[in-house]
Coordinates of all heavy atoms in Angstrom, one line a residue:
Chain U
G44 N 1.4 -20.9 -10.8 CA 0.5 -22.0 -11.1 C 0.1 -22.1 -12.5 O 0.1 -23.2 -13.1
V45 N -0.2 -21.0 -13.2 CA -0.5 -21.0 -14.6 C 0.7 -21.5 -15.4 O 0.5 -22.3 -16.3 CB -1.0 -19.6 -15.0 CG1 -1.2 -19.6 -16.6 CG2 -2.3 -19.2 -14.3
A46 N 1.9 -21.0 -15.1 CA 3.0 -21.5 -15.8 C 3.2 -23.0 -15.6 O 3.6 -23.7 -16.6 CB 4.3 -20.8 -15.3
V47 N 3.0 -23.5 -14.4 CA 3.1 -25.0 -14.2 C 2.1 -25.8 -15.0 O 2.5 -26.8 -15.6 CB 3.0 -25.3 -12.7 CG1 2.8 -26.8 -12.5 CG2 4.2 -24.8 -11.9
I48 N 0.8 -25.3 -15.1 CA -0.2 -26.0 -15.9 C 0.3 -26.1 -17.3 O 0.3 -27.1 -17.9 CB -1.5 -25.2 -15.8 CG1 -2.1 -25.2 -14.5 CG2 -2.5 -25.8 -16.9 CD1 -3.5 -24.5 -14.4
F49 N 0.8 -25.0 -17.8 CA 1.3 -24.8 -19.2 C 2.4 -25.9 -19.5 O 2.3 -26.7 -20.4 CB 1.8 -23.4 -19.4 CG 2.2 -23.1 -20.8 CD1 1.3 -23.1 -21.8 CD2 3.5 -22.9 -21.1 CE1 1.6 -22.8 -23.1 CE2 3.9 -22.6 -22.4 CZ 3.0 -22.5 -23.4
V50 N 3.5 -25.8 -18.6 CA 4.6 -26.7 -18.8 C 4.3 -28.1 -18.6 O 4.8 -29.0 -19.4 CB 5.8 -26.2 -17.9 CG1 6.9 -27.2 -18.0 CG2 6.3 -24.8 -18.3
M51 N 3.5 -28.4 -17.6 CA 3.1 -29.8 -17.4 C 2.4 -30.4 -18.6 O 2.7 -31.6 -18.9 CB 2.2 -29.9 -16.1 CG 3.0 -30.1 -14.8 SD 1.7 -30.5 -13.6 CE 2.7 -31.1 -12.3
T52 N 1.5 -29.7 -19.1 CA 0.7 -30.2 -20.3 C 1.7 -30.5 -21.5 O 1.6 -31.6 -22.0 CB -0.4 -29.2 -20.7 OG1 -1.0 -28.7 -19.6 CG2 -1.3 -29.8 -21.7
V53 N 2.5 -29.5 -21.8 CA 3.4 -29.6 -22.9 C 4.4 -30.8 -22.6 O 4.7 -31.6 -23.5 CB 4.1 -28.3 -23.2 CG1 5.0 -28.4 -24.5 CG2 3.1 -27.2 -23.4
A54 N 4.9 -30.8 -21.4 CA 5.9 -31.8 -21.0 C 5.3 -33.2 -21.2 O 5.9 -34.2 -21.7 CB 6.4 -31.6 -19.7
S55 N 4.0 -33.4 -20.8 CA 3.3 -34.7 -20.9 C 3.3 -35.1 -22.3 O 3.6 -36.3 -22.7 CB 1.9 -34.6 -20.4 OG 1.9 -34.3 -19.0
I56 N 2.9 -34.2 -23.2 CA 2.8 -34.5 -24.6 C 4.2 -35.0 -25.2 O 4.3 -36.1 -25.8 CB 2.4 -33.3 -25.5 CG1 1.0 -32.9 -25.0 CG2 2.5 -33.5 -27.0 CD1 0.5 -31.5 -25.6
F57 N 5.3 -34.2 -24.9 CA 6.5 -34.5 -25.6 C 7.2 -35.8 -24.9 O 7.8 -36.6 -25.6 CB 7.5 -33.3 -25.4 CG 7.2 -32.3 -26.5 CD1 6.3 -31.3 -26.4 CD2 7.9 -32.4 -27.7 CE1 6.0 -30.5 -27.4 CE2 7.6 -31.5 -28.8 CZ 6.7 -30.6 -28.6
C58 N 7.0 -35.9 -23.6 CA 7.6 -37.1 -22.9 C 6.9 -38.3 -23.4 O 7.5 -39.4 -23.6 CB 7.5 -37.0 -21.4 SG 8.6 -35.8 -20.8
Y59 N 5.5 -38.2 -23.7 CA 4.8 -39.4 -24.2 C 5.4 -39.8 -25.6 O 5.7 -40.9 -25.9 CB 3.3 -39.1 -24.3 CG 2.5 -40.2 -24.9 CD1 2.1 -41.3 -24.0 CD2 2.3 -40.3 -26.3 CE1 1.4 -42.3 -24.5 CE2 1.6 -41.4 -26.7 CZ 1.1 -42.4 -25.9 OH 0.5 -43.5 -26.4
I60 N 5.6 -38.8 -26.4 CA 6.1 -39.0 -27.8 C 7.5 -39.7 -27.7 O 7.8 -40.7 -28.3 CB 6.2 -37.7 -28.6 CG1 4.7 -37.2 -28.9 CG2 6.9 -37.9 -29.9 CD1 4.7 -35.9 -29.5
V61 N 8.4 -39.1 -26.8 CA 9.8 -39.6 -26.7 C 9.7 -41.1 -26.2 O 10.4 -41.9 -26.8 CB 10.6 -38.7 -25.8 CG1 11.9 -39.5 -25.4 CG2 10.9 -37.4 -26.5
N62 N 8.9 -41.3 -25.2 CA 8.8 -42.7 -24.6 C 8.3 -43.7 -25.7 O 8.8 -44.7 -25.9 CB 7.9 -42.6 -23.4 CG 7.9 -44.0 -22.7 OD1 9.0 -44.5 -22.5 ND2 6.8 -44.5 -22.4
E63 N 7.1 -43.3 -26.3 CA 6.4 -44.2 -27.1 C 7.2 -44.5 -28.4 O 7.2 -45.7 -28.9 CB 5.0 -43.7 -27.4 CG 4.0 -44.7 -27.9 CD 3.6 -45.7 -26.8 OE1 3.9 -45.4 -25.6 OE2 3.1 -46.7 -27.1
F64 N 7.8 -43.5 -29.0 CA 8.4 -43.7 -30.3 C 9.9 -43.8 -30.3 O 10.5 -44.0 -31.4 CB 7.9 -42.6 -31.3 CG 6.4 -42.5 -31.4 CD1 5.7 -41.5 -30.8 CD2 5.8 -43.5 -32.1 CE1 4.3 -41.5 -31.0 CE2 4.4 -43.5 -32.3 CZ 3.7 -42.5 -31.7
L65 N 10.5 -43.6 -29.2 CA 12.0 -43.8 -29.2 C 12.4 -44.8 -28.1 O 13.1 -45.8 -28.5 CB 12.6 -42.4 -28.8 CG 14.1 -42.3 -29.1 CD1 14.4 -42.3 -30.6 CD2 14.6 -41.0 -28.5
L66 N 12.0 -44.6 -26.9 CA 12.6 -45.5 -25.8 C 12.0 -46.9 -25.8 O 12.7 -47.9 -25.8 CB 12.3 -44.8 -24.4 CG 13.0 -43.5 -24.2 CD1 12.7 -43.0 -22.8 CD2 14.4 -43.6 -24.4
V67 N 10.7 -47.0 -26.1 CA 10.0 -48.3 -26.0 C 10.5 -49.2 -27.2 O 10.9 -50.3 -27.0 CB 8.5 -48.2 -26.0 CG1 7.8 -49.5 -26.2 CG2 8.0 -47.6 -24.7
P68 N 10.5 -48.7 -28.5 CA 10.9 -49.5 -29.6 C 12.4 -49.9 -29.4 O 12.8 -51.0 -30.0 CB 10.8 -48.6 -30.8 CG 9.8 -47.5 -30.4 CD 10.0 -47.4 -28.9
L69 N 13.2 -49.1 -28.8 CA 14.6 -49.5 -28.6 C 14.9 -50.2 -27.4 O 16.1 -50.4 -27.0 CB 15.5 -48.2 -28.7 CG 15.4 -47.4 -30.0 CD1 16.2 -46.1 -29.9 CD2 16.0 -48.2 -31.2
N70 N 13.9 -50.6 -26.6 CA 14.0 -51.3 -25.3 C 14.9 -50.5 -24.3 O 15.7 -51.1 -23.7 CB 14.7 -52.7 -25.5 CG 13.6 -53.6 -26.1 OD1 12.5 -53.5 -25.7 ND2 14.1 -54.5 -27.0
L71 N 14.7 -49.2 -24.3 CA 15.5 -48.4 -23.4 C 14.7 -47.7 -22.3 O 14.9 -46.6 -21.9 CB 16.2 -47.3 -24.2 CG 17.4 -47.7 -25.0 CD1 17.9 -46.6 -25.9 CD2 18.5 -48.3 -24.2
E72 N 13.6 -48.4 -21.8 CA 12.7 -47.8 -20.8 C 13.4 -47.4 -19.5 O 13.0 -46.5 -18.9 CB 11.6 -48.8 -20.5 CG 10.5 -49.0 -21.5 CD 10.8 -50.2 -22.4 OE1 12.0 -50.7 -22.4 OE2 9.8 -50.8 -22.9
F73 N 14.5 -48.1 -19.3 CA 15.2 -47.8 -18.0 C 15.9 -46.4 -18.1 O 16.4 -45.8 -17.1 CB 16.3 -48.8 -17.6 CG 17.3 -49.0 -18.7 CD1 18.5 -48.3 -18.7 CD2 17.1 -49.9 -19.7 CE1 19.4 -48.4 -19.7 CE2 18.1 -50.1 -20.7 CZ 19.3 -49.4 -20.7
M74 N 15.9 -45.8 -19.3 CA 16.5 -44.4 -19.4 C 15.5 -43.3 -19.3 O 15.8 -42.2 -19.5 CB 17.2 -44.3 -20.8 CG 18.4 -45.2 -21.0 SD 19.7 -44.9 -19.9 CE 20.3 -43.3 -20.6
Q75 N 14.3 -43.7 -18.9 CA 13.2 -42.7 -18.9 C 13.5 -41.5 -18.2 O 13.4 -40.4 -18.7 CB 11.9 -43.4 -18.4 CG 11.1 -44.1 -19.4 CD 10.1 -45.1 -18.8 OE1 10.1 -45.2 -17.6 NE2 9.3 -45.7 -19.6
T76 N 13.9 -41.7 -16.9 CA 14.2 -40.5 -16.1 C 15.2 -39.5 -16.7 O 14.9 -38.3 -16.8 CB 14.7 -40.9 -14.7 OG1 13.9 -41.9 -14.2 CG2 14.7 -39.8 -13.7
V77 N 16.3 -40.0 -17.2 CA 17.3 -39.2 -17.8 C 16.8 -38.5 -19.0 O 16.9 -37.3 -19.2 CB 18.5 -40.0 -18.1 CG1 19.7 -39.1 -18.6 CG2 19.0 -40.8 -16.9
A78 N 16.1 -39.3 -19.9 CA 15.6 -38.7 -21.1 C 14.5 -37.7 -20.8 O 14.5 -36.6 -21.5 CB 15.0 -39.9 -22.0
Y79 N 13.7 -37.9 -19.8 CA 12.6 -36.9 -19.5 C 13.2 -35.6 -19.0 O 12.8 -34.5 -19.4 CB 11.7 -37.5 -18.5 CG 10.8 -38.6 -19.0 CD1 9.9 -39.3 -18.2 CD2 10.7 -38.9 -20.4 CE1 9.1 -40.3 -18.6 CE2 9.9 -39.9 -20.9 CZ 9.1 -40.6 -20.0 OH 8.3 -41.5 -20.4
I80 N 14.3 -35.7 -18.2 CA 14.9 -34.5 -17.7 C 15.5 -33.7 -18.9 O 15.2 -32.5 -19.0 CB 16.1 -34.8 -16.7 CG1 15.6 -35.4 -15.5 CG2 16.9 -33.6 -16.4 CD1 16.6 -35.9 -14.5
L81 N 16.1 -34.4 -19.8 CA 16.6 -33.7 -21.0 C 15.5 -33.1 -21.8 O 15.6 -31.9 -22.2 CB 17.3 -34.8 -21.9 CG 18.2 -34.3 -23.0 CD1 19.4 -33.6 -22.5 CD2 18.7 -35.5 -23.9
V82 N 14.4 -33.8 -22.0 CA 13.3 -33.3 -22.8 C 12.7 -32.0 -22.1 O 12.5 -31.0 -22.7 CB 12.2 -34.3 -23.0 CG1 11.0 -33.7 -23.6 CG2 12.7 -35.5 -23.8
I83 N 12.5 -32.2 -20.8 CA 11.8 -31.1 -20.1 C 12.7 -29.8 -20.1 O 12.2 -28.7 -20.4 CB 11.4 -31.5 -18.7 CG1 10.3 -32.5 -18.7 CG2 10.9 -30.3 -17.9 CD1 10.1 -33.3 -17.4
A84 N 14.0 -30.0 -19.8 CA 14.9 -28.9 -19.7 C 14.9 -28.1 -21.0 O 14.8 -26.9 -21.1 CB 16.3 -29.3 -19.3
S85 N 15.1 -28.9 -22.2 CA 15.2 -28.2 -23.4 C 13.9 -27.6 -23.8 O 13.8 -26.5 -24.4 CB 15.8 -29.1 -24.5 OG 15.6 -30.4 -24.2
L86 N 12.8 -28.3 -23.5 CA 11.5 -27.8 -23.8 C 11.2 -26.5 -23.2 O 10.7 -25.5 -23.8 CB 10.4 -28.9 -23.3 CG 9.0 -28.6 -23.7 CD1 8.8 -28.8 -25.2 CD2 8.0 -29.4 -22.9
V87 N 11.5 -26.4 -21.9 CA 11.2 -25.1 -21.1 C 12.0 -24.0 -21.7 O 11.5 -22.9 -22.0 CB 11.5 -25.3 -19.7 CG1 11.4 -23.9 -18.9 CG2 10.6 -26.3 -19.0
Q88 N 13.3 -24.3 -22.1 CA 14.1 -23.3 -22.8 C 13.5 -22.8 -24.1 O 13.4 -21.6 -24.3 CB 15.5 -23.8 -23.0 CG 16.4 -24.0 -21.8 CD 16.8 -22.7 -21.2 OE1 17.1 -21.8 -21.9 NE2 16.7 -22.6 -19.9
F89 N 13.1 -23.8 -24.8 CA 12.5 -23.5 -26.1 C 11.2 -22.7 -26.0 O 11.0 -21.6 -26.7 CB 12.2 -24.8 -26.9 CG 11.7 -24.6 -28.3 CD1 12.5 -24.3 -29.3 CD2 10.3 -24.6 -28.5 CE1 12.1 -24.1 -30.6 CE2 9.9 -24.4 -29.8 CZ 10.7 -24.1 -30.8
V90 N 10.4 -23.1 -25.1 CA 9.1 -22.4 -24.9 C 9.3 -21.0 -24.4 O 8.7 -20.0 -24.9 CB 8.2 -23.1 -23.8 CG1 7.1 -22.3 -23.3 CG2 7.7 -24.5 -24.4
E91 N 10.4 -20.8 -23.6 CA 10.6 -19.4 -23.1 C 11.0 -18.5 -24.3 O 10.5 -17.4 -24.5 CB 11.8 -19.5 -22.1 CG 11.8 -18.2 -21.3 CD 13.1 -18.2 -20.4 OE1 13.7 -19.2 -20.2 OE2 13.4 -17.1 -19.9
M92 N 11.9 -19.1 -25.2 CA 12.4 -18.3 -26.3 C 11.2 -18.0 -27.3 O 11.0 -16.9 -27.7 CB 13.5 -19.0 -27.1 CG 14.8 -18.9 -26.4 SD 16.1 -19.5 -27.5 CE 16.3 -21.1 -26.9
F93 N 10.4 -19.0 -27.5 CA 9.3 -18.9 -28.4 C 8.3 -17.8 -27.9 O 7.8 -16.9 -28.6 CB 8.6 -20.3 -28.5 CG 7.3 -20.2 -29.4 CD1 7.5 -20.3 -30.7 CD2 6.1 -20.2 -28.8 CE1 6.4 -20.3 -31.6 CE2 5.0 -20.1 -29.6 CZ 5.1 -20.2 -31.0
L94 N 8.0 -17.9 -26.6 CA 7.0 -16.9 -26.1 C 7.5 -15.5 -26.1 O 6.8 -14.6 -26.5 CB 6.7 -17.2 -24.6 CG 5.8 -18.5 -24.4 CD1 5.5 -18.6 -22.9 CD2 4.5 -18.4 -25.2
Q95 N 8.8 -15.3 -25.8 CA 9.4 -14.0 -25.8 C 9.3 -13.3 -27.2 O 9.1 -12.2 -27.3 CB 10.9 -14.1 -25.4 CG 11.5 -12.8 -25.0 CD 12.9 -12.9 -24.5 OE1 13.5 -13.9 -24.5 NE2 13.4 -11.8 -23.9
K96 N 9.4 -14.2 -28.2 CA 9.4 -13.6 -29.6 C 7.9 -13.5 -30.0 O 7.5 -12.5 -30.6 CB 10.1 -14.5 -30.5 CG 10.2 -14.0 -32.0 CD 11.2 -12.9 -32.2 CE 11.2 -12.5 -33.6 NZ 12.2 -11.4 -33.8
M97 N 7.1 -14.6 -29.8 CA 5.8 -14.6 -30.5 C 4.7 -14.0 -29.7 O 3.8 -13.4 -30.2 CB 5.5 -16.1 -30.8 CG 6.4 -16.7 -31.8 SD 6.5 -15.7 -33.4 CE 7.7 -16.6 -34.3
I98 N 4.7 -14.3 -28.4 CA 3.6 -13.9 -27.5 C 4.2 -13.1 -26.3 O 4.2 -13.6 -25.2 CB 2.7 -15.0 -27.0 CG1 2.5 -16.1 -28.1 CG2 1.3 -14.6 -26.5 CD1 1.9 -17.4 -27.6
P99 N 4.7 -11.9 -26.6 CA 5.4 -11.1 -25.5 C 4.5 -10.9 -24.2 O 5.0 -10.9 -23.2 CB 5.7 -9.8 -26.1 CG 5.6 -10.0 -27.6 CD 4.6 -11.1 -27.8
S100 N 3.2 -10.7 -24.5 CA 2.3 -10.5 -23.3 C 2.3 -11.7 -22.4 O 2.4 -11.5 -21.2 CB 0.9 -10.1 -23.8 OG 0.4 -11.1 -24.6
L101 N 2.2 -12.9 -22.9 CA 2.2 -14.1 -22.1 C 3.6 -14.3 -21.5 O 3.7 -14.7 -20.3 CB 1.9 -15.3 -23.0 CG 1.7 -16.6 -22.2 CD1 0.4 -16.5 -21.3 CD2 1.4 -17.8 -23.2
Y102 N 4.6 -13.9 -22.2 CA 6.0 -14.0 -21.7 C 6.1 -13.1 -20.4 O 6.7 -13.4 -19.5 CB 7.0 -13.6 -22.7 CG 8.4 -13.7 -22.2 CD1 9.1 -14.9 -22.0 CD2 9.1 -12.5 -21.9 CE1 10.4 -14.9 -21.5 CE2 10.4 -12.5 -21.4 CZ 11.0 -13.7 -21.2 OH 12.3 -13.8 -20.7
Q103 N 5.6 -11.8 -20.6 CA 5.6 -10.9 -19.5 C 4.9 -11.5 -18.2 O 5.4 -11.3 -17.1 CB 4.9 -9.6 -19.9 CG 5.6 -8.8 -20.9 CD 6.6 -7.9 -20.2 OE1 6.4 -7.4 -19.1 NE2 7.8 -7.7 -20.9
A104 N 3.8 -12.2 -18.5 CA 3.1 -12.7 -17.3 C 3.8 -14.0 -16.7 O 3.8 -14.1 -15.5 CB 1.7 -13.1 -17.8
L105 N 4.3 -14.8 -17.5 CA 4.9 -16.1 -17.0 C 6.4 -15.9 -16.9 O 7.1 -16.8 -16.2 CB 4.6 -17.2 -18.0 CG 3.2 -17.6 -18.2 CD1 3.1 -18.8 -19.1 CD2 2.4 -17.8 -16.9
G106 N 7.0 -14.9 -17.5 CA 8.4 -14.8 -17.7 C 9.3 -15.3 -16.7 O 10.1 -16.3 -16.9
I107 N 9.3 -14.8 -15.5 CA 10.2 -15.1 -14.4 C 10.0 -16.5 -13.9 O 10.9 -17.1 -13.3 CB 10.2 -14.1 -13.3 CG1 8.8 -13.7 -13.0 CG2 11.1 -12.9 -13.6 CD1 8.7 -12.9 -11.7
Y108 N 8.8 -17.0 -14.1 CA 8.5 -18.3 -13.5 C 8.9 -19.5 -14.4 O 9.2 -20.6 -13.9 CB 7.0 -18.5 -13.2 CG 6.4 -17.4 -12.4 CD1 5.5 -16.4 -12.9 CD2 6.9 -17.2 -11.1 CE1 5.1 -15.4 -12.2 CE2 6.4 -16.2 -10.3 CZ 5.6 -15.2 -10.8 OH 5.2 -14.2 -10.1
L109 N 9.0 -19.3 -15.7 CA 9.3 -20.4 -16.6 C 10.6 -21.0 -16.3 O 10.7 -22.2 -16.2 CB 9.2 -19.9 -18.1 CG 7.8 -19.9 -18.7 CD1 7.9 -19.3 -20.0 CD2 7.3 -21.3 -18.7
P110 N 11.7 -20.3 -16.2 CA 13.0 -21.0 -15.9 C 13.0 -21.7 -14.6 O 13.7 -22.8 -14.4 CB 14.0 -19.8 -15.9 CG 13.4 -18.7 -16.5 CD 11.9 -18.9 -16.3
L111 N 12.2 -21.2 -13.6 CA 12.1 -21.9 -12.3 C 11.6 -23.3 -12.4 O 11.9 -24.2 -11.6 CB 11.3 -21.1 -11.3 CG 11.8 -19.8 -10.9 CD1 10.8 -19.0 -10.0 CD2 13.1 -20.0 -10.0
I112 N 10.7 -23.5 -13.4 CA 10.0 -24.7 -13.5 C 10.9 -25.8 -14.1 O 10.6 -27.0 -13.9 CB 8.7 -24.6 -14.4 CG1 7.8 -23.5 -13.8 CG2 8.0 -25.8 -14.6 CD1 6.7 -23.2 -14.6
T113 N 12.0 -25.5 -14.8 CA 12.9 -26.5 -15.3 C 13.2 -27.6 -14.3 O 13.3 -28.7 -14.6 CB 14.2 -25.8 -15.8 OG1 13.8 -24.6 -16.4 CG2 14.9 -26.7 -16.8
T114 N 13.4 -27.1 -13.1 CA 13.8 -28.1 -12.0 C 12.7 -28.4 -11.1 O 13.0 -29.0 -10.0 CB 15.0 -27.4 -11.3 OG1 14.6 -26.1 -10.9 CG2 16.2 -27.4 -12.0
N115 N 11.5 -28.2 -11.5 CA 10.3 -28.5 -10.7 C 10.1 -30.0 -10.8 O 9.7 -30.5 -11.9 CB 9.1 -27.7 -11.2 CG 7.9 -28.0 -10.3 OD1 7.9 -28.9 -9.5 ND2 7.0 -27.1 -10.4
C116 N 10.1 -30.7 -9.7 CA 10.0 -32.2 -9.7 C 8.6 -32.6 -10.0 O 8.4 -33.8 -10.4 CB 10.6 -32.8 -8.5 SG 9.9 -32.2 -7.0
A117 N 7.6 -31.7 -9.9 CA 6.2 -32.1 -10.2 C 6.2 -32.3 -11.7 O 5.4 -33.2 -12.2 CB 5.3 -31.0 -9.8
V118 N 6.9 -31.6 -12.5 CA 6.8 -31.7 -14.0 C 7.5 -33.1 -14.4 O 6.9 -33.8 -15.2 CB 7.6 -30.6 -14.7 CG1 7.5 -30.8 -16.2 CG2 7.0 -29.2 -14.3
L119 N 8.6 -33.4 -13.8 CA 9.2 -34.7 -14.0 C 8.3 -35.8 -13.5 O 8.2 -36.9 -14.1 CB 10.6 -34.8 -13.4 CG 11.4 -36.1 -13.6 CD1 11.7 -36.2 -15.1 CD2 12.7 -36.0 -12.8
G120 N 7.7 -35.5 -12.3 CA 6.8 -36.5 -11.7 C 5.7 -36.9 -12.6 O 5.3 -38.0 -12.8
V121 N 5.1 -35.8 -13.2 CA 3.9 -36.1 -14.1 C 4.3 -37.0 -15.3 O 3.6 -37.9 -15.6 CB 3.2 -34.8 -14.5 CG1 3.8 -34.2 -15.7 CG2 1.7 -35.1 -14.7
A122 N 5.5 -36.7 -15.8 CA 5.9 -37.5 -17.0 C 6.1 -38.9 -16.6 O 5.7 -39.9 -17.3 CB 7.2 -36.9 -17.6
L123 N 6.8 -39.2 -15.5 CA 7.1 -40.5 -15.0 C 5.8 -41.3 -14.6 O 5.7 -42.5 -15.0 CB 8.1 -40.5 -13.8 CG 9.5 -40.2 -14.2 CD1 10.4 -40.0 -13.0 CD2 10.1 -41.3 -15.1
L124 N 4.9 -40.5 -14.0 CA 3.6 -41.2 -13.6 C 2.8 -41.6 -14.7 O 2.1 -42.6 -14.7 CB 2.8 -40.2 -12.6 CG 3.3 -40.2 -11.2 CD1 2.6 -39.1 -10.5 CD2 3.1 -41.5 -10.5
N125 N 2.8 -40.8 -15.8 CA 2.1 -41.1 -17.0 C 2.6 -42.4 -17.5 O 1.7 -43.3 -17.9 CB 2.4 -40.0 -18.1 CG 1.5 -38.8 -17.9 OD1 0.4 -38.9 -17.4 ND2 2.0 -37.7 -18.4
T126 N 3.9 -42.7 -17.6 CA 4.4 -43.9 -18.1 C 4.1 -45.1 -17.2 O 3.7 -46.1 -17.6 CB 5.9 -43.8 -18.3 OG1 6.2 -42.4 -18.7 CG2 6.4 -44.8 -19.3
Q127 N 4.4 -44.8 -15.8 CA 4.1 -45.9 -14.8 C 2.7 -46.3 -14.9 O 2.4 -47.5 -14.8 CB 4.4 -45.3 -13.4 CG 5.8 -45.7 -12.9 CD 6.0 -45.0 -11.6 OE1 5.1 -44.8 -10.8 NE2 7.3 -44.6 -11.4
N128 N 1.7 -45.4 -14.9 CA 0.3 -45.8 -14.9 C -0.2 -46.2 -16.3 O -1.3 -46.6 -16.4 CB -0.5 -44.6 -14.4 CG -0.2 -44.2 -13.0 OD1 0.5 -44.9 -12.3 ND2 -0.6 -43.0 -12.6
G129 N 0.7 -46.2 -17.3 CA 0.3 -46.7 -18.6 C -0.8 -45.9 -19.3 O -1.6 -46.5 -20.0
Y130 N -0.8 -44.5 -19.1 CA -1.8 -43.8 -19.7 C -1.5 -43.6 -21.2 O -0.4 -43.6 -21.7 CB -1.9 -42.3 -19.2 CG -2.4 -42.3 -17.7 CD1 -1.7 -41.5 -16.8 CD2 -3.4 -43.1 -17.3 CE1 -2.1 -41.4 -15.5 CE2 -3.8 -43.0 -16.0 CZ -3.2 -42.2 -15.1 OH -3.6 -42.2 -13.8
N131 N -2.6 -43.6 -22.1 CA -2.4 -43.4 -23.5 C -2.2 -41.9 -23.7 O -2.1 -41.1 -22.8 CB -3.5 -43.9 -24.3 CG -4.9 -43.2 -24.0 OD1 -4.9 -42.3 -23.3 ND2 -6.0 -43.8 -24.5
F132 N -2.1 -41.4 -25.0 CA -1.8 -40.1 -25.3 C -2.8 -39.1 -24.6 O -2.4 -38.1 -23.9 CB -1.7 -39.9 -26.8 CG -1.3 -38.5 -27.2 CD1 0.0 -38.0 -27.0 CD2 -2.2 -37.6 -27.7 CE1 0.4 -36.7 -27.4 CE2 -1.9 -36.3 -28.1 CZ -0.6 -35.9 -27.9
I133 N -4.1 -39.3 -24.9 CA -5.1 -38.4 -24.3 C -5.0 -38.4 -22.8 O -5.1 -37.4 -22.1 CB -6.5 -38.8 -24.8 CG1 -6.5 -38.6 -26.4 CG2 -7.5 -37.9 -24.2 CD1 -7.8 -39.1 -27.0
G134 N -4.9 -39.6 -22.3 CA -4.8 -39.7 -20.8 C -3.6 -39.0 -20.2 O -3.7 -38.3 -19.2
S135 N -2.4 -39.0 -20.9 CA -1.3 -38.3 -20.5 C -1.5 -36.8 -20.5 O -1.2 -36.1 -19.5 CB -0.1 -38.6 -21.4 OG 0.2 -40.0 -21.3
V136 N -2.1 -36.3 -21.6 CA -2.3 -34.9 -21.7 C -3.3 -34.4 -20.6 O -3.0 -33.4 -19.9 CB -2.9 -34.5 -23.1 CG1 -3.3 -33.0 -23.1 CG2 -1.9 -34.8 -24.1
I137 N -4.3 -35.2 -20.3 CA -5.3 -34.8 -19.3 C -4.7 -34.8 -17.9 O -4.9 -34.0 -17.1 CB -6.6 -35.7 -19.4 CG1 -7.3 -35.3 -20.7 CG2 -7.4 -35.5 -18.2 CD1 -8.4 -36.2 -21.0
Y138 N -3.9 -35.9 -17.7 CA -3.3 -36.1 -16.4 C -2.3 -34.9 -16.1 O -2.2 -34.3 -15.1 CB -2.5 -37.4 -16.3 CG -2.1 -37.7 -14.9 CD1 -3.1 -38.0 -13.9 CD2 -0.8 -37.8 -14.5 CE1 -2.7 -38.3 -12.6 CE2 -0.4 -38.1 -13.2 CZ -1.3 -38.3 -12.3 OH -1.0 -38.6 -11.0
G139 N -1.5 -34.5 -17.2 CA -0.6 -33.4 -17.1 C -1.3 -32.1 -16.8 O -1.0 -31.4 -15.9
F140 N -2.4 -31.8 -17.5 CA -3.1 -30.6 -17.4 C -3.8 -30.5 -16.0 O -3.6 -29.5 -15.3 CB -4.2 -30.5 -18.5 CG -5.0 -29.2 -18.3 CD1 -4.5 -28.0 -18.7 CD2 -6.3 -29.3 -17.9 CE1 -5.3 -26.9 -18.6 CE2 -7.1 -28.2 -17.7 CZ -6.6 -26.9 -18.1
T141 N -4.5 -31.6 -15.6 CA -5.2 -31.5 -14.3 C -4.2 -31.6 -13.1 O -4.5 -31.0 -12.1 CB -6.2 -32.7 -14.2 OG1 -5.6 -33.9 -14.5 CG2 -7.4 -32.4 -15.1
G142 N -3.1 -32.3 -13.3 CA -2.0 -32.2 -12.3 C -1.6 -30.8 -12.1 O -1.5 -30.3 -10.9

Side-chain angles (χ1 to χ4, degrees):
Chain U
V45 173
V47 166
I48 293 182
F49 185 70
V50 172
M51 269 189 167
T52 315
V53 184
S55 298
I56 295 172
F57 279 86
C58 288
Y59 179 83
I60 293 170
V61 166
N62 185 50
E63 199 65 21
F64 299 108
L65 193 70
L66 298 183
V67 172
L69 298 175
N70 285 324
L71 286 174
E72 286 98 335
F73 59 91
M74 295 297 286
Q75 272 161 359
T76 310
V77 186
Y79 288 173
I80 291 175
L81 193 65
V82 171
I83 292 166
S85 21
L86 184 73
V87 171
Q88 288 292 318
F89 183 82
V90 166
E91 197 189 346
M92 282 190 267
F93 178 79
L94 287 184
Q95 195 173 8
K96 181 78 176 180
M97 297 301 179
I98 322 172
S100 52
L101 189 63
Y102 178 78
Q103 289 276 326
L105 301 183
I107 41 171
Y108 305 112
L109 275 176
L111 290 174
I112 299 171
T113 319
T114 48
N115 183 343
C116 49
V118 180
L119 182 62
V121 85
L123 286 172
L124 282 171
N125 278 335
T126 325
Q127 262 176 33
N128 298 344
Y130 294 137
N131 62 9
F132 182 71
I133 297 172
S135 299
V136 175
I137 289 170
Y138 192 66
F140 178 76
T141 50

